[in-house]
Protein backbone atom coordinates (compact mmCIF):
# COMPACT_ATOMS: atom_id res chain seq x y z
CA UNK A 1 0.00 0.00 0.00
CA UNK A 2 2.83 2.42 0.77
CA UNK A 3 4.00 2.13 -2.84
CA UNK A 4 0.56 3.13 -4.10
CA UNK A 5 0.46 6.18 -1.83
CA UNK A 6 3.97 7.21 -2.87
CA UNK A 7 3.08 6.95 -6.56
CA UNK A 8 -0.08 9.02 -6.11
CA UNK A 9 1.70 11.76 -4.14
CA UNK A 10 4.51 12.08 -6.67
CA UNK A 11 2.44 11.97 -9.88
CA UNK A 12 -0.85 13.78 -9.22
CA UNK A 13 -0.69 17.61 -8.86
CA UNK A 14 -1.54 18.77 -5.35
CA UNK A 15 -4.68 20.79 -6.30
CA UNK A 16 -6.09 17.66 -7.97
CA UNK A 17 -5.26 15.59 -4.90
CA UNK A 18 -7.18 18.01 -2.72
CA UNK A 19 -10.23 17.84 -4.96
CA UNK A 20 -10.21 14.04 -5.26
CA UNK A 21 -9.63 13.48 -1.54
CA UNK A 22 -12.84 15.31 -0.68
CA UNK A 23 -14.84 12.25 -1.78
CA UNK A 24 -12.21 9.57 -1.00
CA UNK A 25 -11.89 10.56 2.66
CA UNK A 26 -15.36 9.31 3.81
CA UNK A 27 -14.62 5.89 2.31
CA UNK A 28 -11.26 5.65 4.09
CA UNK A 29 -12.90 6.79 7.31
CA UNK A 30 -15.38 3.92 7.28
CA UNK A 31 -12.98 1.22 6.12
CA UNK A 32 -10.25 1.86 8.70
CA UNK A 33 -12.44 2.29 11.80
CA UNK A 34 -11.09 0.51 14.88
CA UNK A 35 -9.78 1.08 18.40
CA UNK A 36 -6.00 1.30 18.19
CA UNK A 37 -5.37 4.95 17.26
CA UNK A 38 -7.35 8.15 17.83
CA UNK A 39 -7.60 11.37 15.85
CA UNK A 40 -8.20 14.30 18.24
CA UNK A 41 -9.50 16.42 15.36
CA UNK A 42 -12.64 14.37 14.68
CA UNK A 43 -12.64 12.32 17.89
CA UNK A 44 -12.76 9.01 15.99
CA UNK A 45 -10.63 5.89 16.37
CA UNK A 46 -9.03 3.65 13.75
CA UNK A 47 -7.36 0.27 13.37
CA UNK A 48 -4.29 2.10 12.08
CA UNK A 49 -3.22 5.28 10.38
CA UNK A 50 -2.06 5.18 6.76
CA UNK A 51 1.47 5.61 5.33
CA UNK A 52 2.55 8.94 3.86
CA UNK A 53 5.62 10.49 2.28
CA UNK A 54 7.00 11.87 -0.98
CA UNK A 55 10.41 10.24 -0.58
CA UNK A 56 10.71 7.66 2.17
CA UNK A 57 7.27 6.66 3.40
CA UNK A 58 6.42 7.09 7.06
CA UNK A 59 4.22 4.29 8.36
CA UNK A 60 1.07 4.87 10.41
CA UNK A 61 0.83 8.68 10.18
CA UNK A 62 -2.11 9.70 7.93
CA UNK A 63 -5.52 9.69 9.63
CA UNK A 64 -8.17 8.11 7.34
CA UNK A 65 -10.95 10.39 8.58
CA UNK A 66 -9.37 13.84 8.41
CA UNK A 67 -6.23 13.16 6.32
CA UNK A 68 -4.31 14.77 9.16
CA UNK A 69 -0.63 14.08 9.73
CA UNK A 70 1.39 14.28 12.94
CA UNK A 71 1.82 18.04 12.62
CA UNK A 72 -1.92 18.67 12.15
CA UNK A 73 -2.91 16.67 15.22
CA UNK A 74 -0.18 18.40 17.24
CA UNK A 75 -1.38 21.82 16.06
CA UNK A 76 -5.02 20.94 16.82
CA UNK A 77 -4.19 19.96 20.39
CA UNK A 78 -2.36 23.27 20.87
CA UNK A 79 -5.24 25.28 19.38
CA UNK A 80 -7.79 23.54 21.59
CA UNK A 81 -5.80 23.78 24.81
CA UNK A 82 -3.96 27.08 24.51
CA UNK A 83 -5.85 29.49 22.23
CA UNK A 84 -9.25 31.15 22.08
CA UNK A 85 -9.80 30.12 18.47
CA UNK A 86 -12.98 28.23 19.29
CA UNK A 87 -14.57 30.82 21.56
CA UNK A 88 -13.52 34.44 20.93
CA UNK A 89 -14.21 36.71 17.94
CA UNK A 90 -10.95 36.54 16.00
CA UNK A 91 -9.80 37.53 12.54
CA UNK A 92 -7.86 34.54 11.20
CA UNK A 93 -5.69 34.13 8.10
CA UNK A 94 -4.97 30.54 7.07
CA UNK A 95 -2.32 29.78 4.44
CA UNK A 96 -2.56 26.68 2.22
CA UNK A 97 -5.62 25.56 4.23
CA UNK A 98 -5.34 21.95 5.35
CA UNK A 99 -8.39 19.78 4.80
CA UNK A 100 -8.16 18.55 8.37
CA UNK A 101 -8.92 22.10 9.57
CA UNK A 102 -10.69 23.88 6.73
CA UNK A 103 -14.33 22.81 7.16
CA UNK A 104 -14.11 22.93 10.95
CA UNK A 105 -12.73 26.47 11.03
CA UNK A 106 -15.21 27.60 8.38
CA UNK A 107 -18.12 26.55 10.62
CA UNK A 108 -16.94 28.57 13.63
CA UNK A 109 -19.29 31.54 13.85
CA UNK A 110 -16.90 33.49 16.08
CA UNK A 111 -14.23 33.68 13.35
CA UNK A 112 -13.68 36.09 10.51
CA UNK A 113 -11.84 33.40 8.56
CA UNK A 114 -9.87 33.90 5.33
CA UNK A 115 -7.88 31.28 3.44
CA UNK A 116 -5.11 32.10 1.00
CA UNK A 117 -2.75 30.26 -1.36
CA UNK A 118 -1.46 30.51 -4.91
CA UNK A 119 -2.89 27.20 -6.10
CA UNK A 120 -5.18 25.54 -3.56
CA UNK A 121 -8.85 25.16 -4.62
CA UNK A 122 -9.73 25.88 -0.97
CA UNK A 123 -8.22 29.39 -1.03
CA UNK A 124 -10.52 32.42 -0.76
CA UNK A 125 -7.74 34.71 -1.95
CA UNK A 126 -5.09 33.71 -4.48
CA UNK A 127 -1.94 35.42 -3.24
CA UNK A 128 1.84 35.31 -3.12
CA UNK A 129 3.01 35.02 0.47
CA UNK A 130 5.88 37.40 -0.37
CA UNK A 131 3.48 40.13 -1.56
CA UNK A 132 0.25 39.79 0.40
CA UNK A 133 -2.79 41.88 -0.63
CA UNK A 134 -3.80 42.50 3.00
CA UNK A 135 -3.48 45.65 5.08
CA UNK A 136 -0.97 46.10 7.87
CA UNK A 137 -2.02 44.85 11.32
CA UNK A 138 -5.08 42.95 10.03
CA UNK A 139 -5.15 39.52 11.72
CA UNK A 140 -5.33 38.24 15.29
CA UNK A 141 -4.11 34.78 14.34
CA UNK A 142 -2.17 33.46 11.35
CA UNK A 143 -1.84 29.75 10.62
CA UNK A 144 0.90 29.00 8.10
CA UNK A 145 2.08 25.43 8.40
CA UNK A 146 4.58 23.69 6.12
CA UNK A 147 4.62 26.56 3.64
CA UNK A 148 7.88 28.44 4.22
CA UNK A 149 10.06 25.50 3.13
CA UNK A 150 8.58 25.97 -0.37
CA UNK A 151 9.42 29.70 -0.57
CA UNK A 152 12.80 30.75 -2.04
CA UNK A 153 12.86 34.03 -0.06
CA UNK A 154 11.48 32.88 3.27
CA UNK A 155 12.70 36.02 5.06
CA UNK A 156 10.50 38.15 2.78
CA UNK A 157 7.57 35.84 3.48
CA UNK A 158 8.19 36.04 7.23
CA UNK A 159 8.28 39.85 7.01
CA UNK A 160 4.93 39.85 5.22
CA UNK A 161 3.43 37.61 7.89
CA UNK A 162 4.68 40.00 10.57
CA UNK A 163 3.30 42.99 8.65
CA UNK A 164 -0.29 41.69 8.41
CA UNK A 165 -0.37 40.35 11.99
CA UNK A 166 -1.95 42.64 14.57
CA UNK A 167 0.12 43.86 17.53
CA UNK A 168 -0.55 41.30 20.24
CA UNK A 169 -1.35 38.72 17.58
CA UNK A 170 0.07 35.25 17.14
CA UNK A 171 1.24 33.15 14.21
CA UNK A 172 1.64 29.37 14.19
CA UNK A 173 4.45 28.68 11.71
CA UNK A 174 5.24 24.98 11.60
CA UNK A 175 7.92 23.76 9.18
CA UNK A 176 9.73 20.45 8.75
CA UNK A 177 13.00 20.84 10.64
CA UNK A 178 15.81 18.53 11.68
CA UNK A 179 16.43 18.69 15.41
CA UNK A 180 20.02 17.47 14.96
CA UNK A 181 20.82 20.17 12.38
CA UNK A 182 22.14 23.47 13.75
CA UNK A 183 22.01 25.56 10.58
CA UNK A 184 19.43 25.65 7.79
CA UNK A 185 20.71 24.42 4.43
CA UNK A 186 19.60 25.99 1.14
CA UNK A 187 21.15 25.67 -2.32
CA UNK A 188 19.18 27.34 -5.11
CA UNK A 189 21.26 25.58 -7.76
CA UNK A 190 19.55 22.29 -6.86
CA UNK A 191 16.54 22.25 -9.17
CA UNK A 192 16.16 18.59 -10.11
CA UNK A 193 13.05 17.22 -8.32
CA UNK A 194 14.73 13.92 -7.45
CA UNK A 195 17.74 15.69 -5.97
CA UNK A 196 15.50 18.04 -4.02
CA UNK A 197 13.55 15.10 -2.60
CA UNK A 198 16.80 13.42 -1.63
CA UNK A 199 18.39 16.49 -0.03
CA UNK A 200 15.44 18.57 1.20
CA UNK A 201 12.95 15.78 1.89
CA UNK A 202 10.41 16.65 -0.81
CA UNK A 203 10.61 17.53 -4.50
CA UNK A 204 9.08 20.99 -4.04
CA UNK A 205 11.09 22.02 -0.97
CA UNK A 206 13.90 24.55 -1.42
CA UNK A 207 15.69 24.11 1.93
CA UNK A 208 15.97 21.92 4.98
CA UNK A 209 15.53 23.83 8.22
CA UNK A 210 17.76 23.42 11.23
CA UNK A 211 17.26 24.66 14.77
CA UNK A 212 18.21 28.17 13.65
CA UNK A 213 14.70 28.42 12.18
CA UNK A 214 13.55 30.11 15.37
CA UNK A 215 16.32 32.71 15.02
CA UNK A 216 15.29 33.34 11.40
CA UNK A 217 11.83 34.28 12.68
CA UNK A 218 13.32 36.54 15.34
CA UNK A 219 15.46 38.25 12.71
CA UNK A 220 12.41 39.78 10.99
CA UNK A 221 10.94 41.03 14.28
CA UNK A 222 8.87 38.23 15.77
CA UNK A 223 9.02 37.23 19.41
CA UNK A 224 9.34 33.46 19.21
CA UNK A 225 8.51 30.53 21.46
CA UNK A 226 9.30 26.87 20.76
CA UNK A 227 6.32 25.20 22.40
CA UNK A 228 6.59 21.57 23.50
CA UNK A 229 3.08 20.23 24.04
CA UNK A 230 4.45 16.74 24.70
CA UNK A 231 5.00 17.74 28.33
CA UNK A 232 1.20 17.80 28.70
CA UNK A 233 0.71 14.36 27.17
CA UNK A 234 1.41 10.87 28.42
CA UNK A 235 3.51 8.48 26.30
CA UNK A 236 0.30 6.53 25.70
CA UNK A 237 -1.46 9.62 24.33
CA UNK A 238 1.49 10.47 22.08
CA UNK A 239 1.36 6.98 20.58
CA UNK A 240 -2.43 6.87 20.39
CA UNK A 241 -2.63 10.22 18.55
CA UNK A 242 0.22 9.26 16.22
CA UNK A 243 2.39 12.26 17.13
CA UNK A 244 6.09 12.79 16.49
CA UNK A 245 7.74 12.71 19.95
CA UNK A 246 9.69 15.86 20.73
CA UNK A 247 8.30 17.99 17.87
CA UNK A 248 8.21 21.66 18.81
CA UNK A 249 5.50 24.08 17.66
CA UNK A 250 7.00 27.40 16.45
CA UNK A 251 4.88 30.22 17.87
CA UNK A 252 5.57 33.76 16.64
CA UNK A 253 4.18 36.87 18.34
CA UNK A 254 3.99 40.53 17.35
CA UNK A 255 4.47 42.84 20.33
Amino acid sequence: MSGVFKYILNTIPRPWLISVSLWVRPLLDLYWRGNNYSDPINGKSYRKFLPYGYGSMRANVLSPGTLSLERHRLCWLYLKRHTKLFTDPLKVLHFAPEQAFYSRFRKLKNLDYTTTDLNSPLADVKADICALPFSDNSYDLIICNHVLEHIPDDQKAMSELLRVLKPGGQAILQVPYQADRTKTFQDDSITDPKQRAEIFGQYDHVRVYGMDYFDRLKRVGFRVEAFDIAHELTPTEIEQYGLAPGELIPLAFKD
Side-chain angles (χ1 to χ4, degrees):
M1 177 176 290
S2 62
V4 174
F5 276 89
K6 184 174 181 179
Y7 176 80
I8 290 172
L9 289 171
N10 284 284
T11 56
I12 300 178
R14 189 166 299 172
W16 293 10
L17 278 175
I18 293 172
S19 298
V20 170
S21 64
L22 292 175
W23 62 267
V24 170
R25 189 174 64 227
L27 301 177
L28 294 173
D29 178 67
L30 286 173
Y31 182 77
W32 290 103
R33 288 288 182 87
N35 299 307
N36 295 326
Y37 297 93
S38 299
D39 186 339
I41 298 175
N42 64 4
K44 296 178 181 179
S45 297
Y46 301 95
R47 285 180 283 138
K48 63 186 297 185
F49 290 150
L50 303 174
Y52 185 88
Y54 284 82
S56 59
M57 298 293 289
R58 304 193 309 281
N60 203 47
V61 295
L62 182 70
S63 170
T66 63
L67 300 186
S68 65
L69 293 166
E70 309 99 315
R71 64 178 183 263
H72 303 122
R73 296 186 289 275
L74 191 73
C75 183
W76 179 267
L77 289 168
Y78 172 76
L79 289 169
K80 290 287 286 186
R81 295 182 179 204
H82 294 280
T83 74
K84 298 179 179 179
L85 177 75
F86 299 91
T87 57
D88 288 11
L90 297 175
K91 193 171 181 181
V92 177
L93 182 62
H94 190 181
F95 285 83
E98 300 98 330
Q99 288 189 63
F101 299 149
Y102 175 78
S103 61
R104 290 168 175 82
F105 292 170
R106 183 68 77 195
K107 291 175 183 176
L108 293 175
K109 303 298 184 184
N110 58 300
L111 299 185
D112 179 353
Y113 177 65
T114 301
T115 59
T116 185
D117 190 67
L118 270 179
N119 301 307
S120 173
L122 302 181
D124 299 318
V125 179
K126 302 292 185 182
D128 179 353
I129 193 172
C130 291
L132 294 173
F134 309 115
S135 301
D136 296 358
N137 307 318
S138 292
Y139 293 95
D140 300 291
L141 175 66
I142 293 175
I143 301 172
C144 181
N145 293 332
H146 283 235
V147 172
L148 292 171
E149 67 274 14
H150 299 266
I151 309 301
D153 189 352
D154 66 338
Q155 294 285 281
K156 175 61 176 173
M158 292 173 186
S159 295
E160 279 291 272
L161 294 172
L162 181 68
R163 179 182 67 79
V164 302
L165 188 65
K166 288 182 180 179
Q170 174 183 350
I172 300 173
L173 306 175
Q174 288 174 296
V175 295
Y177 68 87
Q178 295 180 354
D180 59 351
R181 178 183 289 274
T182 302
K183 188 173 178 59
T184 295
F185 174 70
Q186 179 172 345
D187 184 344
D188 296 337
S189 69
I190 302 172
T191 57
D192 179 72
K194 288 185 178 179
Q195 276 191 297
R196 280 190 173 184
E198 196 174 305
I199 296 170
F200 301 133
Q202 196 165 302
Y203 71 91
D204 54 353
H205 289 184
V206 299
R207 70 182 59 82
V208 54
Y209 282 110
M211 295 307 292
D212 64 335
Y213 171 64
F214 301 94
D215 291 328
R216 292 166 78 94
L217 291 170
K218 292 176 184 176
R219 200 177 301 152
V220 303
F222 281 115
R223 176 170 58 84
V224 181
E225 178 182 350
F227 190 83
D228 186 0
I229 201 170
H231 289 312
E232 304 175 3
L233 304 172
T234 65
T236 299
E237 287 176 316
I238 291 173
E239 182 177 358
Q240 184 181 20
Y241 292 147
L243 304 179
E247 182 175 359
L248 302 172
I249 304 175
L251 306 178
F253 302 89
K254 183 173 180 178
D255 293 327

